[in-house]
Amino acid sequence: MTLRHFRIFSEVCRLESITLAAESMNMAQPAVSYAIKEMENYYETKLFERMNRRLYITEAGEQLLLYTDSILAQFDEARDVLRDKNAVTKVKIGTNVSYGISWLPELTAGFLKQYPEIPLYTLVENSRQIEEKLLRNELDFGIMDYPMHAEYFITNLMKEETMSVVCAEQYPLPSCIDIQKLQEIPLLLREEGSGSRSLIESLLNKYKILPEIVMESSSDRSLMEACSQGRGVLFLTTAEVAPYISSHRLREIQIEGIEINRAYYLVYHKSKFLTKSMKCFKNYMEQKEN
């Protein structure tokens, strides 16, 4: 397989059409079809299904596309950097929402103070979205929950913090409850794909609790506002809810015998080409860890 094959495959996936890919790449349509056929023969699997004159990528094709995006991005990145090995390059970091709210401003300010010449790009999304962008080489580093596809990544523990269970000041609950009480209480949770959602679902599954979820959101602030209005009980990191607790808009509830901790990891792809700027960021994070 050559880079030409991967570029053709990537363009066919992007446009969902061999004809449009051929036009985009200024190639004859049979040449594009033949390249795809060569790839299917090489990998001994179907990469696309053709139904009703439409092209649908297969599960095997989806897996190959992850590698393809990474291979092409790393090739272009390596070319640009090696042409000027001392070049200062942008470092692209993705963090999950909890870390982004509580710790990212301090992190970026500290790094830019130490390395003012290195530009940073930061993106705050949930852990699943960050992982997908790392797989596609759209980000250099992720600060997130433990990745679902850990076999593709180098993963280092960076920070741990506690999760708090909170409700409105006047919500009719005692300050300490049994875990089974959560079966009866309306819950406010982050959206599926977020690390805190996965953590809470694992806890509830462990105790065979079927929750009554009354609100889901990717916005922690909207969840805290709804919780302060008495909608139900909310799980978020202690750092995030602290201002609401100190202003008496929320109060903390203890779950008898249970402490919930959340971990954040520095994650990057095993095949990632680390530029000089990326190595500076990695070293900075390792110093913070120690």
Side-chain angles (χ1 to χ4, degrees), residues 46-168:
K46 281 279 189 184
L47 300 176
F48 298 98
E49 293 288 352
R50 296 156 181 84
M51 293 183 292
N52 299 324
R53 297 186 179 181
R54 289 194 60 186
L55 207 62
Y56 297 90
I57 190 167
T58 64
E59 184 176 347
E62 291 279 7
Q63 291 179 324
L64 181 60
L65 183 58
L66 290 175
Y67 288 103
T68 298
D69 290 342
S70 180
I71 288 167
L72 294 176
Q74 288 183 62
F75 176 81
D76 292 339
E77 183 177 78
R79 176 201 61 205
D80 294 341
V81 171
L82 293 176
R83 284 176 178 173
D84 185 355
K85 64 181 180 181
N86 294 315
V88 173
T89 56
K90 181 186 294 184
V91 180
K92 297 172 289 184
I93 309 155
T95 79
N96 60 25
V97 176
S98 296
Y99 191 96
I101 291 174
S102 300
W103 311 109
L104 182 61
E106 176 188 346
L107 168 69
T108 53
F111 178 79
L112 292 173
K113 183 177 181 181
Q114 189 166 331
Y115 299 99
E117 73 282 6
I118 298 178
L120 283 184
Y121 167 81
T122 55
L123 175 72
V124 179
E125 290 189 326
N126 69 42
S127 288
R128 183 185 296 173
Q129 293 167 323
I130 295 299
E131 182 170 349
E132 289 174 356
K133 292 184 185 302
L134 289 171
L135 285 169
R136 297 184 184 278
N137 203 37
E138 295 173 13
L139 292 171
D140 302 320
F141 297 96
I143 303 173
M144 50 182 280
D145 297 82
Y146 197 78
M148 293 177 61
H149 300 97
E151 66 272 19
Y152 297 121
F153 299 108
I154 294 172
T155 304
N156 296 315
L157 178 65
M158 297 305 304
K159 189 179 188 62
E160 291 183 290
E161 65 175 332
T162 58
M163 297 279 288
S164 288
V165 187
V166 294
C167 65

Side-chain angles (χ1 to χ4, degrees), residues 10 13 81 150 159 206 278:
S10 177
C13 291
V81 171
K159 189 179 188 62
K206 179 181 177 180
M278 293 174 204

Side-chain angles (χ1 to χ4, degrees), residues 176-231:
C176 185
I177 62 173
D178 182 86
I179 184 74
Q180 293 299 328
K181 184 71 174 175
L182 294 177
Q183 185 92 21
E184 309 166 13
I185 303 171
L187 298 185
L188 293 74
L189 298 179
R190 284 287 309 279
E191 81 287 4
E192 291 186 2
S194 74
S196 61
R197 172 67 173 263
S198 299
L199 182 64
I200 299 311
E201 284 183 338
S202 294
L203 175 68
L204 298 176
N205 289 337
K206 179 181 177 180
Y207 290 92
K208 297 180 172 57
I209 294 171
L210 297 175
E212 180 194 352
I213 302 171
V214 297
M215 181 176 178
E216 298 173 279
S217 177
S218 60
S219 166
D220 288 357
R221 182 174 180 180
S222 66
L223 289 169
M224 288 187 285
E225 289 291 334
C227 187
S228 69
Q229 297 299 316
R231 288 288 310 279

Side-chain angles (χ1 to χ4, degrees), residues 267-278:
V267 179
Y268 59 98
H269 202 285
K270 286 180 178 178
S271 302
K272 182 68 180 175
F273 180 92
L274 295 183
T275 66
K276 179 182 175 182
S277 299
M278 293 174 204

